[in-house]
Structure formats: C-alpha cells, structure tokens
Amino acid sequence: MSGLLPSVLLLALPGLLGGRPRYEPTWASLDARPLPTWFDEAKFGVFIHWGVFAVPSFGSEWFWWYWQKEKREPYVKFMKANYPPGFSYEDFGPLFTAEFFDPNQWADILKASGAKYVVLTSKHHEGFTLWGSKYSWNWNAVDVGPKRDLVAELETSVRNRTDLRFGLYHSLFEWFNPLFLEDASNVFKTRKFPTSKSLPELYEIVTKYQPEIVWSDGDGNAPDTYWNSTGFLAWLYNDSPVRDTVVTNDRWGAGGICKHGGFYTCSDRYNPGHLLPHKWENCMTIDKRSWGYRRNANLEDYLTVEDLVKQLVETVSCGGNLLMNIGPTHDGRIAAIFEERLRQMGAWLKVNGEAIYETKPWRAQNDTVTPDVWYTFRPKEGKVNAIFLNWPNSGILELGEPQARLAETQDKQWSEIEDIDIIAPLASTLTQQRQNY
C-alpha cells in the first residue's frame, strides 16, 4: 500500500507543486492569490511617464490621439505653427534623444523621494517601446532616437543604488497599430494584435527585466479574453522569474477594472476618502493636467508639496498606496519642479515615515471632531498615529476618536488615553514637530 501514497498525495493536492500553489487561468483562481506583503508595506511609489510624446511635450501624453484622431484645435494649431506640412508623429521618434538621461541620477532622486517602488512606462498607447523589443521593429528606443535600452539602464541603476522595487507599465493596445485596428473592426473576434505584439512584449519584459510590478493599462475596449489576460497572469504567478514577489493591477480588459487583479486602481486619480475592503492604489500626477512632460505648463498647474502630502496621508489612512507621477523631458531630464517635489516628499517622510510605511488602517480613518486629521496604525507597536494637516486656529488640537480606557492595579483604577503619536502639519522649512498625546 505504501507504493500508492505518492499518487494519492498528488490527487489530494492538485493545486500544489513543491509546496507552491498553482493558479488556474481563471479570475476565480487568480483573484485568490494573496498580494505579496511588500506592496502594502511600501505605501508610496513614483510613476514615470516617458516616451515620444515628450518631444512635442504639448498638452498631454495623448498628443498623437488628440492631434490626429480627435483633431482638437489647440493640437492642430500647434503643429501647423511649429512643424512643416506632412510632418508625422513618427517623425518625432528620432527627436526623442535622451542625451541627458543619467539613470544613476534618476535613481538617486527616486531614493531621495522616500518612495519604495517605481513604475516606468515601458510602452504607452503610442506603441513606442523604451527597450529594443523584437516585436516593435523600428519603433523602439534602441533602433530610433536614443539608440539605448532605457528600461535596462534604469532597472540596473535602481537595483544597484536603491532599495526600491522596480516596476513596468505596459499598454495592452496601441492607438494606430493596423493589426489592432483590424481586430477592432472584427469586433475582436480575431486576435492578430495580442498574439503577435502585445502578449509577446509582456513575456519579453518580464523575462528580461523581472519587474516586481506589472502595471497594465489600455484595454482598447476589448475584453480580457481577447488579450488572454488570465493566461498571461497564470504564467506570471506560476512560472515567471518574479512569481513570488510580483504584484499586478486591475486593468486587464474592458469591464475588469476595480473587479479583478492584484490591487485595484479603479480610475486615474482614484481617492475614495474611505476604507475599501480590497487593496488599492491612487495613481495621480504632480502636473494636474498631464502625465507626460508639458513645456506649456504653468506653475499653478503643479501640485504643491502640501497637496501631495495630503494625498499621501488620506490615501494611506484609507488602506491605499500612492503612485505619484512625473514626466521627464525628451532629452532625459527630470525637470527641476518634479525633482523638488520628490525631494520635499522625501524630507517629510524622513521625519514622519513611521506614520506611513508598514502601517494599517485604524478603526477610524479620519477624526470626527477636527477636519483634516487622519489616522494610521502600527500593529507591531500597537500605536496610533494622528496626522493633522492644518494648525487649529485655537492652537489646541481636539481629537474626537481617541478613547479613554480603564486601567487598574491592585490599589487603584484610572483612565488612560490610547497611545497616539501626533504628526504636525508641514512647516515652511519642511521640518516637523512630534509629540506624544
């Protein structure tokens, strides 16, 4: 009978291989995968939108679509005023030069920001890949423009110089790719584009760069079955080189956002202001109007550091992560305004990081008496952090949520207040004062 034991164990545990769970290519199975703990502990990441759209650097990273498809007047006028007749979007490719791109400098700025992960746009909806993809011939950063593998360079610097997790954004669809347009005209009953372009790219970047965040976007109104998203994710979770640590978002097909995936994004700049039952991320921009770099941005278009800290505190108090976006220039620079904001965030987190990193939502997310007071909880220490964003006019901070509890010894009883750290608002010097409540 002992000879039958191995086969009995295999039948009893069909989802395990060497003690590791195996995930089926179904949402029921994939959604049951526990989110790797590092992501919830990290709380703060930096998004980088970089591509050929940084060459015109006008209006939005959706420049090509607004100019050629929607023919929005400001974009049409901009092209007529500044470029010769017949100039195409593809002609911007050689002008995406990145001559000032210093990945070590970028990594040092990212480290100074206090962020724990970074997500780079490996390919946006324009289809231009920042690496020399075999599946994007003559429309990638190795063949055109910089003649450099920008993904590899940043990945190496981030991993050699920082403790940030490295992640990659990838757009499933491409606005004007003929194969995608053909599939769309067939109501996605044909699958030429995902099988020959999008899916091979995803396997390529995961195998080559081993990103610990795969940030998908741009379903092109096609269902996840068209993209074979569940098949890719099953491979990612079961057999990829990052299967133990990788996290994914929820943008894998039309109708799936905020329903399926590792963490939920729900929409751009999503900030519900209340606790959610599922891990989520608020992806937002320092430039209020664009994800990509804009030469025509004004100072008031950029969020202040006070705005950004408020977003971080509100997001973390409600169980989310903040993914804060910058847009580098076509020549590879992180503009001074973005660098300043990143370093300001790092200065605040250097003092107050223990109220952010590795925290959990408390029983109350914000205070019921004083506005703009948000709570986080450190389970290891059993400590609550009360983060207030504005000085009370009275000079006295009144909190409604902390509760007195009865303590006692053999000789007496007394009331004591829950152990709470008070995190003061930003001062002009970005230094903070802390005290025990």
Side-chain angles (χ1 to χ4, degrees):
M1 293 295 290
S2 60
L4 295 176
L5 187 57
S7 61
V8 171
L9 286 175
L10 286 173
L11 287 172
L13 301 172
L16 295 178
L17 182 62
R20 183 193 305 278
R22 299 284 297 180
Y23 297 97
E24 299 297 322
T26 65
W27 286 121
S29 178
L30 297 169
D31 289 345
R33 176 182 182 256
L35 194 71
T37 56
W38 73 261
F39 184 75
D40 180 59
E41 294 173 350
K43 304 301 182 188
F44 177 44
V46 173
F47 216 168
I48 302 176
H49 270 65
W50 200 26
V52 172
F53 48 80
V55 178
S57 54
F58 174 86
S60 169
E61 74 289 348
W62 278 56
F63 183 94
W64 193 2
W65 182 264
Y66 292 154
W67 169 40
Q68 293 283 14
K69 182 66 176 180
E70 296 190 5
K71 301 189 186 303
R72 295 190 181 185
E73 184 180 2
Y75 296 83
V76 173
K77 289 177 64 175
F78 173 82
M79 290 304 298
K80 284 183 177 180
N82 296 287
Y83 295 92
F87 191 95
S88 69
Y89 190 83
E90 289 86 348
D91 292 327
F92 284 126
L95 304 178
F96 179 59
T97 49
E99 66 267 33
F100 295 125
F101 173 53
D102 181 348
N104 287 341
Q105 181 190 45
W106 281 29
D108 292 345
I109 293 171
L110 292 168
K111 182 178 181 179
S113 75
K116 297 301 182 184
Y117 60 101
V118 59
V119 179
L120 172 69
T121 53
S122 67
K123 184 194 78 171
H124 200 256
H125 310 323
E126 65 188 9
F128 187 90
T129 64
L130 298 190
W131 80 101
S133 176
K134 296 182 291 185
Y135 309 99
S136 190
W137 180 81
N138 212 35
W139 193 233
N140 66 76
V142 174
D143 292 338
V144 179
K147 306 293 179 68
R148 298 164 65 177
D149 186 333
L150 303 176
V151 174
E153 291 187 35
L154 185 61
E155 179 253 336
T156 299
S157 292
V158 165
R159 286 183 165 144
N160 286 345
R161 300 174 73 90
T162 80
D163 61 355
L164 276 76
R165 308 271 183 160
F166 183 76
L168 290 174
Y169 164 110
H170 177 269
S171 175
L172 292 172
F173 90 131
E174 298 172 14
W175 285 317
F176 301 110
N177 189 293
L179 293 177
F180 176 76
L181 296 176
E182 181 184 343
D183 287 345
S185 69
N186 295 326
V187 201
F188 303 116
K189 293 179 180 178
T190 56
R191 300 182 60 250
K192 292 182 179 179
F193 179 73
T195 55
S196 64
K197 185 71 163 64
S198 197
L199 282 169
E201 285 176 345
L202 278 168
Y203 287 104
E204 187 178 33
I205 59 174
V206 170
T207 302
K208 194 168 186 179
Y209 306 110
Q210 301 186 20
E212 291 184 275
I213 308 103
V214 177
W215 215 101
S216 182
D217 193 26
D219 58 47
N221 296 319
D224 65 84
T225 51
Y226 169 77
W227 298 111
N228 191 25
S229 297
T230 55
F232 168 74
L233 290 172
W235 170 82
L236 185 69
Y237 295 165
N238 290 329
D239 302 311
S240 80
V242 288
R243 58 186 177 268
D244 293 328
T245 58
V246 70
V247 296
T248 62
N249 66 341
D250 56 350
R251 303 186 182 193
W252 296 99
I257 194 169
C258 221
K259 295 179 181 177
H260 298 298
F263 59 88
Y264 293 169
T265 62
C266 299
S267 66
D268 292 347
R269 303 178 180 88
Y270 183 69
N271 188 7
H274 58 82
L275 188 63
L276 296 184
H278 192 94
K279 183 63 187 181
W280 61 281
E281 181 183 69
N282 174 5
C283 60
M284 46 74 69
T285 57
I286 296 176
D287 178 349
K288 302 172 191 175
R289 299 186 179 184
S290 177
W291 297 82
Y293 178 71
R294 291 190 304 141
R295 288 179 291 161
N296 60 321
N298 299 313
L299 182 61
E300 60 267 23
D301 293 333
Y302 297 100
L303 294 175
T304 66
V305 65
E306 290 83 3
D307 295 329
L308 296 170
V309 167
K310 185 175 189 291
Q311 289 262 346
L312 175 65
V313 169
E314 290 179 0
T315 298
V316 172
S317 294
C318 295
N321 281 17
L322 187 73
L323 185 61
M324 192 174 75
N325 179 75
I326 62 171
T329 63
H330 78 280
D331 53 12
R333 293 174 294 113
I334 294 176
I337 188 75
F338 290 129
E339 179 178 352
E340 180 184 53
R341 293 293 183 270
L342 291 176
R343 292 187 182 276
Q344 287 172 327
M345 291 295 289
W348 188 86
L349 284 163
K350 188 173 183 180
V351 175
N352 299 305
E354 70 177 60
I356 300 295
Y357 305 125
E358 300 183 22
T359 60
K360 297 289 184 182
W362 194 40
R363 57 175 171 78
Q365 280 63 68
N366 56 326
D367 198 68
T368 52
V369 172
T370 302
D372 287 329
V373 175
W374 296 84
Y375 294 101
T376 62
F377 178 63
R378 293 188 64 83
K380 292 180 182 178
E381 296 88 353
K383 181 176 289 187
V384 178
N385 303 290
I387 309 170
F388 68 108
L389 303 173
N390 297 297
W391 289 104
N393 292 330
S394 66
I396 299 173
L397 178 63
E398 182 180 358
L399 300 179
E401 284 301 325
Q403 298 175 355
R405 59 194 177 197
L406 189 66
E408 61 180 69
T409 64
Q410 288 183 337
D411 301 322
K412 60 181 179 179
Q413 293 182 340
W414 70 92
S415 293
E416 61 181 20
I417 300 296
E418 292 172 292
D419 187 12
I420 294 183
D421 262 9
I422 304 298
I423 314 301
L426 285 164
S428 59
T429 58
L430 287 177
T431 58
Q432 311 298 313
Q433 296 177 341
R434 302 188 58 155
Q435 64 188 64
N436 286 325
Y437 185 83

